[in-house]
Amino acid sequence: MSDTARIRSGSRVLMHFSLALPDGTEAVSTFGGEPEQVILGDGSLTQGLEMALIGLKKGDRQTLELTPMQAFGLWDEDKLQWMPRSDFAPELMLEPGLTIAFETPSGEEVPGTITEVGERRVNVDFNHPLAGVDIVFSVEILEVLDPES
C-alpha cells in the first residue's frame, strides 16, 4: 500500500461517501458511520460513480454533481411492470412505496418499488430509486490498495 497510490480500475478503495439530491436531501451516507469498501470495476458502483473516483488518492475529498446519465440513468417507463397479485406472498402487506427484492431469471437480486396495488395485480417500478435525478456525490478516500494487493 502506498499513500500516493491513485485510484484506477481494479483498485480496492475504502471511503466515506454520500449520495444526495441537489436540494441537500441525503439518500445514503456513510459519513459518521462505517466506511464502504469497493473494488472499481466489480459492478458495485455505476460507471459514472467509478469515473468520479479515478485518479483520487488517500486523503482526497471531492463533491460532484452528476447528471442522471452519469449516476443511475434516466427514468424509464418500460421498467414499470404489472404483476399478478398471486406472485406475492398473501401475508405481505403491499402498499405504494414499499421496496421489495426480486430475483431475476439469472439469479441476480434487483429492487422493485410498489407504485399501485389492485385486487388482482400490482404495479412495480424497477427503475433505480435515484433514476432520472441529478445526484450530488461526495467522497472522502480513506485508503487505496493497488489491484495486485
Side-chain angles (χ1 to χ4, degrees):
M1 176 183 72
S2 166
D3 284 349
T4 60
R6 294 200 176 266
I7 298 173
R8 57 190 170 136
S9 183
S11 291
R12 196 172 32 192
V13 180
L14 185 66
M15 64 183 183
H16 278 297
F17 77 97
S18 72
L19 298 174
L21 302 178
D23 69 4
T25 304
E26 270 189 347
V28 65
S29 177
T30 65
F31 290 98
E34 289 294 315
E36 185 80 14
Q37 182 170 298
V38 298
I39 298 174
L40 263 63
D42 73 355
S44 59
L45 295 177
T46 67
Q47 186 176 3
L49 295 177
E50 285 191 359
M51 292 305 295
L53 297 174
I54 298 291
L56 297 179
K57 64 185 183 322
K58 180 179 179 177
D60 284 351
R61 290 175 162 259
Q62 178 167 265
T63 297
L64 298 171
E65 187 164 336
L66 303 175
T67 67
M69 290 307 296
Q70 294 169 315
F72 297 99
L74 297 174
W75 189 86
D76 183 356
E77 189 170 350
D78 290 339
K79 291 186 177 180
L80 289 176
Q81 185 175 18
W82 284 101
M83 300 176 70
R85 176 63 176 94
S86 60
D87 284 357
F88 300 87
E91 67 276 2
L92 191 57
M93 297 296 295
L94 298 176
E95 57 186 36
L98 177 66
T99 299
I100 300 173
F102 292 85
E103 191 171 312
T104 66
S106 66
E108 179 185 5
E109 208 171 84
V110 296
T113 303
I114 306 299
T115 61
E116 193 176 332
V117 180
E119 266 188 56
R120 294 194 174 105
R121 59 189 195 150
V122 177
N123 193 282
V124 181
D125 183 352
F126 287 100
N127 284 288
H128 187 282
L130 296 174
V133 297
D134 289 346
I135 296 297
V136 177
F137 178 47
S138 297
V139 64
E140 177 185 3
I141 306 303
L142 303 175
E143 188 173 5
V144 177
L145 296 173
D146 286 331
E148 59 274 2
S149 296

Tab-separated table of all heavy atoms in Angstrom, residues 17-54:
chain	number	residue	atom	x	y	z
A	17	PHE	N	-18.773	8.064	1.700
A	17	PHE	CA	-19.432	8.731	0.588
A	17	PHE	C	-20.871	9.068	0.959
A	17	PHE	O	-21.437	8.509	1.901
A	17	PHE	CB	-19.416	7.852	-0.672
A	17	PHE	CG	-20.434	6.743	-0.645
A	17	PHE	CD1	-21.664	6.891	-1.264
A	17	PHE	CD2	-20.167	5.554	0.020
A	17	PHE	CE1	-22.604	5.875	-1.215
A	17	PHE	CE2	-21.097	4.539	0.066
A	17	PHE	CZ	-22.327	4.700	-0.548
A	18	SER	N	-21.420	9.989	0.207
A	18	SER	CA	-22.852	10.272	0.325
A	18	SER	C	-23.406	10.541	-1.058
A	18	SER	O	-22.699	11.020	-1.954
A	18	SER	CB	-23.126	11.456	1.255
A	18	SER	OG	-22.740	12.666	0.652
A	19	LEU	N	-24.662	10.185	-1.217
A	19	LEU	CA	-25.426	10.496	-2.418
A	19	LEU	C	-26.588	11.354	-1.942
A	19	LEU	O	-27.328	10.958	-1.035
A	19	LEU	CB	-25.965	9.225	-3.084
A	19	LEU	CG	-24.934	8.228	-3.574
A	19	LEU	CD1	-25.628	6.953	-4.070
A	19	LEU	CD2	-24.082	8.825	-4.677
A	20	ALA	N	-26.718	12.531	-2.534
A	20	ALA	CA	-27.772	13.456	-2.118
A	20	ALA	C	-28.409	14.086	-3.341
A	20	ALA	O	-27.826	14.099	-4.439
A	20	ALA	CB	-27.190	14.538	-1.213
A	21	LEU	N	-29.586	14.617	-3.154
A	21	LEU	CA	-30.246	15.389	-4.195
A	21	LEU	C	-29.662	16.799	-4.167
A	21	LEU	O	-29.108	17.216	-3.140
A	21	LEU	CB	-31.752	15.419	-3.944
A	21	LEU	CG	-32.439	14.051	-3.885
A	21	LEU	CD1	-33.928	14.219	-3.583
A	21	LEU	CD2	-32.226	13.290	-5.178
A	22	PRO	N	-29.785	17.539	-5.252
A	22	PRO	CA	-29.241	18.900	-5.269
A	22	PRO	C	-29.783	19.803	-4.162
A	22	PRO	O	-29.110	20.738	-3.748
A	22	PRO	CB	-29.632	19.423	-6.654
A	22	PRO	CG	-29.693	18.184	-7.500
A	22	PRO	CD	-30.265	17.129	-6.581
A	23	ASP	N	-30.978	19.508	-3.629
A	23	ASP	CA	-31.534	20.331	-2.548
A	23	ASP	C	-30.952	19.969	-1.182
A	23	ASP	O	-31.328	20.537	-0.160
A	23	ASP	CB	-33.060	20.247	-2.510
A	23	ASP	CG	-33.587	18.881	-2.060
A	23	ASP	OD1	-32.788	17.978	-1.700
A	23	ASP	OD2	-34.824	18.711	-2.074
A	24	GLY	N	-30.014	18.991	-1.151
A	24	GLY	CA	-29.356	18.609	0.090
A	24	GLY	C	-29.942	17.370	0.758
A	24	GLY	O	-29.370	16.854	1.718
A	25	THR	N	-31.063	16.875	0.272
A	25	THR	CA	-31.670	15.672	0.842
A	25	THR	C	-30.758	14.476	0.597
A	25	THR	O	-30.463	14.145	-0.544
A	25	THR	CB	-33.054	15.390	0.203
A	25	THR	OG1	-33.881	16.533	0.360
A	25	THR	CG2	-33.701	14.166	0.828
A	26	GLU	N	-30.288	13.847	1.680
A	26	GLU	CA	-29.392	12.701	1.553
A	26	GLU	C	-30.179	11.425	1.301
A	26	GLU	O	-31.138	11.129	2.002
A	26	GLU	CB	-28.559	12.507	2.822
A	26	GLU	CG	-27.262	13.245	2.784
A	26	GLU	CD	-26.343	12.878	3.935
A	26	GLU	OE1	-26.771	12.233	4.913
A	26	GLU	OE2	-25.180	13.270	3.839
A	27	ALA	N	-29.727	10.675	0.297
A	27	ALA	CA	-30.324	9.371	0.014
A	27	ALA	C	-29.585	8.294	0.796
A	27	ALA	O	-30.189	7.359	1.302
A	27	ALA	CB	-30.269	9.076	-1.479
A	28	VAL	N	-28.263	8.428	0.869
A	28	VAL	CA	-27.434	7.471	1.606
A	28	VAL	C	-26.133	8.168	1.983
A	28	VAL	O	-25.648	9.029	1.251
A	28	VAL	CB	-27.167	6.194	0.765
A	28	VAL	CG1	-26.353	6.494	-0.472
A	28	VAL	CG2	-26.484	5.127	1.587
A	29	SER	N	-25.586	7.791	3.144
A	29	SER	CA	-24.313	8.361	3.572
A	29	SER	C	-23.622	7.406	4.536
A	29	SER	O	-24.271	6.808	5.389
A	29	SER	CB	-24.521	9.703	4.265
A	29	SER	OG	-23.277	10.205	4.743
A	30	THR	N	-22.302	7.291	4.370
A	30	THR	CA	-21.511	6.523	5.331
A	30	THR	C	-20.752	7.451	6.273
A	30	THR	O	-20.131	6.982	7.212
A	30	THR	CB	-20.496	5.594	4.627
A	30	THR	OG1	-19.536	6.399	3.932
A	30	THR	CG2	-21.186	4.642	3.678
A	31	PHE	N	-20.793	8.765	6.015
A	31	PHE	CA	-20.129	9.712	6.901
A	31	PHE	C	-20.766	9.589	8.285
A	31	PHE	O	-21.981	9.566	8.411
A	31	PHE	CB	-20.235	11.149	6.383
A	31	PHE	CG	-19.421	11.404	5.146
A	31	PHE	CD1	-20.005	11.366	3.887
A	31	PHE	CD2	-18.067	11.667	5.233
A	31	PHE	CE1	-19.265	11.605	2.742
A	31	PHE	CE2	-17.306	11.895	4.094
A	31	PHE	CZ	-17.903	11.863	2.846
A	32	GLY	N	-19.952	9.481	9.315
A	32	GLY	CA	-20.475	9.307	10.662
A	32	GLY	C	-20.752	7.855	11.011
A	32	GLY	O	-21.208	7.548	12.097
A	33	GLY	N	-20.466	6.951	10.070
A	33	GLY	CA	-20.679	5.527	10.295
A	33	GLY	C	-19.492	4.736	9.776
A	33	GLY	O	-18.374	5.250	9.719
A	34	GLU	N	-19.758	3.504	9.396
A	34	GLU	CA	-18.699	2.642	8.860
A	34	GLU	C	-18.413	3.016	7.416
A	34	GLU	O	-19.341	3.198	6.621
A	34	GLU	CB	-19.127	1.172	8.921
A	34	GLU	CG	-19.179	0.616	10.320
A	34	GLU	CD	-17.811	0.544	10.973
A	34	GLU	OE1	-16.847	0.091	10.324
A	34	GLU	OE2	-17.697	0.956	12.149
A	35	PRO	N	-17.132	3.104	7.029
A	35	PRO	CA	-16.807	3.391	5.641
A	35	PRO	C	-17.170	2.206	4.742
A	35	PRO	O	-17.375	1.090	5.221
A	35	PRO	CB	-15.302	3.632	5.658
A	35	PRO	CG	-14.813	2.953	6.881
A	35	PRO	CD	-15.941	2.955	7.869
A	36	GLU	N	-17.231	2.454	3.470
A	36	GLU	CA	-17.555	1.453	2.460
A	36	GLU	C	-16.277	1.038	1.742
A	36	GLU	O	-15.422	1.871	1.453
A	36	GLU	CB	-18.533	2.067	1.449
A	36	GLU	CG	-19.047	1.122	0.412
A	36	GLU	CD	-20.179	0.234	0.925
A	36	GLU	OE1	-20.748	0.520	1.985
A	36	GLU	OE2	-20.470	-0.741	0.233
A	37	GLN	N	-16.140	-0.251	1.459
A	37	GLN	CA	-15.010	-0.713	0.640
A	37	GLN	C	-15.560	-1.216	-0.680
A	37	GLN	O	-16.515	-1.992	-0.716
A	37	GLN	CB	-14.241	-1.836	1.331
A	37	GLN	CG	-13.041	-2.285	0.492
A	37	GLN	CD	-12.128	-3.220	1.245
A	37	GLN	OE1	-11.564	-2.830	2.245
A	37	GLN	NE2	-11.996	-4.436	0.750
A	38	VAL	N	-14.974	-0.741	-1.775
A	38	VAL	CA	-15.391	-1.158	-3.113
A	38	VAL	C	-14.160	-1.517	-3.928
A	38	VAL	O	-13.042	-1.082	-3.618
A	38	VAL	CB	-16.189	-0.056	-3.847
A	38	VAL	CG1	-17.471	0.274	-3.113
A	38	VAL	CG2	-15.360	1.196	-4.047
A	39	ILE	N	-14.388	-2.303	-4.957
A	39	ILE	CA	-13.347	-2.600	-5.938
A	39	ILE	C	-13.848	-2.033	-7.258
A	39	ILE	O	-14.923	-2.425	-7.740
A	39	ILE	CB	-13.079	-4.111	-6.054
A	39	ILE	CG1	-12.571	-4.647	-4.722
A	39	ILE	CG2	-12.089	-4.389	-7.187
A	39	ILE	CD1	-12.418	-6.159	-4.669
A	40	LEU	N	-13.089	-1.097	-7.824
A	40	LEU	CA	-13.512	-0.478	-9.071
A	40	LEU	C	-13.550	-1.520	-10.180
A	40	LEU	O	-12.591	-2.256	-10.379
A	40	LEU	CB	-12.591	0.675	-9.454
A	40	LEU	CG	-13.125	2.047	-9.045
A	40	LEU	CD1	-13.256	2.179	-7.563
A	40	LEU	CD2	-12.334	3.136	-9.656
A	41	GLY	N	-14.685	-1.565	-10.847
A	41	GLY	CA	-14.848	-2.495	-11.954
A	41	GLY	C	-15.612	-3.753	-11.589
A	41	GLY	O	-15.902	-4.566	-12.460
A	42	ASP	N	-15.975	-3.921	-10.308
A	42	ASP	CA	-16.689	-5.151	-9.925
A	42	ASP	C	-18.210	-5.022	-10.051
A	42	ASP	O	-18.937	-5.956	-9.746
A	42	ASP	CB	-16.306	-5.601	-8.513
A	42	ASP	CG	-16.899	-4.738	-7.398
A	42	ASP	OD1	-17.544	-3.709	-7.701
A	42	ASP	OD2	-16.702	-5.097	-6.228
A	43	GLY	N	-18.690	-3.852	-10.490
A	43	GLY	CA	-20.119	-3.669	-10.699
A	43	GLY	C	-20.871	-3.134	-9.506
A	43	GLY	O	-22.079	-2.912	-9.581
A	44	SER	N	-20.191	-2.906	-8.382
A	44	SER	CA	-20.895	-2.406	-7.202
A	44	SER	C	-21.222	-0.914	-7.319
A	44	SER	O	-22.104	-0.432	-6.621
A	44	SER	CB	-20.110	-2.687	-5.925
A	44	SER	OG	-18.843	-2.085	-5.965
A	45	LEU	N	-20.507	-0.200	-8.171
A	45	LEU	CA	-20.779	1.217	-8.426
A	45	LEU	C	-21.138	1.399	-9.895
A	45	LEU	O	-20.662	0.655	-10.753
A	45	LEU	CB	-19.542	2.074	-8.130
A	45	LEU	CG	-19.046	2.135	-6.699
A	45	LEU	CD1	-17.768	2.959	-6.623
A	45	LEU	CD2	-20.096	2.730	-5.781
A	46	THR	N	-21.943	2.422	-10.184
A	46	THR	CA	-22.217	2.728	-11.582
A	46	THR	C	-20.929	3.244	-12.226
A	46	THR	O	-20.011	3.711	-11.538
A	46	THR	CB	-23.306	3.808	-11.728
A	46	THR	OG1	-22.801	5.047	-11.235
A	46	THR	CG2	-24.596	3.420	-11.005
A	47	GLN	N	-20.886	3.188	-13.539
A	47	GLN	CA	-19.700	3.645	-14.257
A	47	GLN	C	-19.422	5.122	-13.962
A	47	GLN	O	-18.277	5.522	-13.792
A	47	GLN	CB	-19.870	3.427	-15.757
A	47	GLN	CG	-18.621	3.752	-16.545
A	47	GLN	CD	-18.760	3.432	-18.024
A	47	GLN	OE1	-19.798	3.016	-18.499
A	47	GLN	NE2	-17.688	3.636	-18.757
A	48	GLY	N	-20.475	5.929	-13.865
A	48	GLY	CA	-20.298	7.351	-13.582
A	48	GLY	C	-19.685	7.598	-12.211
A	48	GLY	O	-18.815	8.461	-12.057
A	49	LEU	N	-20.118	6.835	-11.197
A	49	LEU	CA	-19.538	6.986	-9.864
A	49	LEU	C	-18.082	6.539	-9.873
A	49	LEU	O	-17.226	7.166	-9.246
A	49	LEU	CB	-20.341	6.206	-8.824
A	49	LEU	CG	-21.778	6.682	-8.582
A	49	LEU	CD1	-22.479	5.776	-7.575
A	49	LEU	CD2	-21.821	8.126	-8.128
A	50	GLU	N	-17.792	5.451	-10.589
A	50	GLU	CA	-16.397	4.994	-10.684
A	50	GLU	C	-15.522	6.051	-11.352
A	50	GLU	O	-14.419	6.327	-10.894
A	50	GLU	CB	-16.308	3.676	-11.451
A	50	GLU	CG	-16.766	2.496	-10.646
A	50	GLU	CD	-16.444	1.165	-11.296
A	50	GLU	OE1	-15.872	1.144	-12.409
A	50	GLU	OE2	-16.747	0.132	-10.679
A	51	MET	N	-16.026	6.648	-12.421
A	51	MET	CA	-15.239	7.665	-13.134
A	51	MET	C	-14.932	8.858	-12.228
A	51	MET	O	-13.879	9.470	-12.347
A	51	MET	CB	-15.975	8.135	-14.392
A	51	MET	CG	-16.081	7.062	-15.468
A	51	MET	SD	-14.506	6.358	-15.976
A	51	MET	CE	-13.709	7.753	-16.713
A	52	ALA	N	-15.844	9.155	-11.307
A	52	ALA	CA	-15.618	10.267	-10.369
A	52	ALA	C	-14.497	9.950	-9.387
A	52	ALA	O	-13.924	10.862	-8.793
A	52	ALA	CB	-16.910	10.579	-9.612
A	53	LEU	N	-14.180	8.662	-9.211
A	53	LEU	CA	-13.130	8.260	-8.268
A	53	LEU	C	-11.751	8.113	-8.911
A	53	LEU	O	-10.736	8.228	-8.225
A	53	LEU	CB	-13.508	6.919	-7.615
A	53	LEU	CG	-14.775	6.919	-6.764
A	53	LEU	CD1	-15.098	5.510	-6.306
A	53	LEU	CD2	-14.634	7.854	-5.586
A	54	ILE	N	-11.713	7.849	-10.214
A	54	ILE	CA	-10.448	7.603	-10.905
A	54	ILE	C	-9.482	8.765	-10.678
A	54	ILE	O	-9.835	9.929	-10.849
A	54	ILE	CB	-10.667	7.386	-12.428
A	54	ILE	CG1	-11.526	6.153	-12.679
A	54	ILE	CG2	-9.357	7.315	-13.183
A	54	ILE	CD1	-10.886	4.832	-12.368
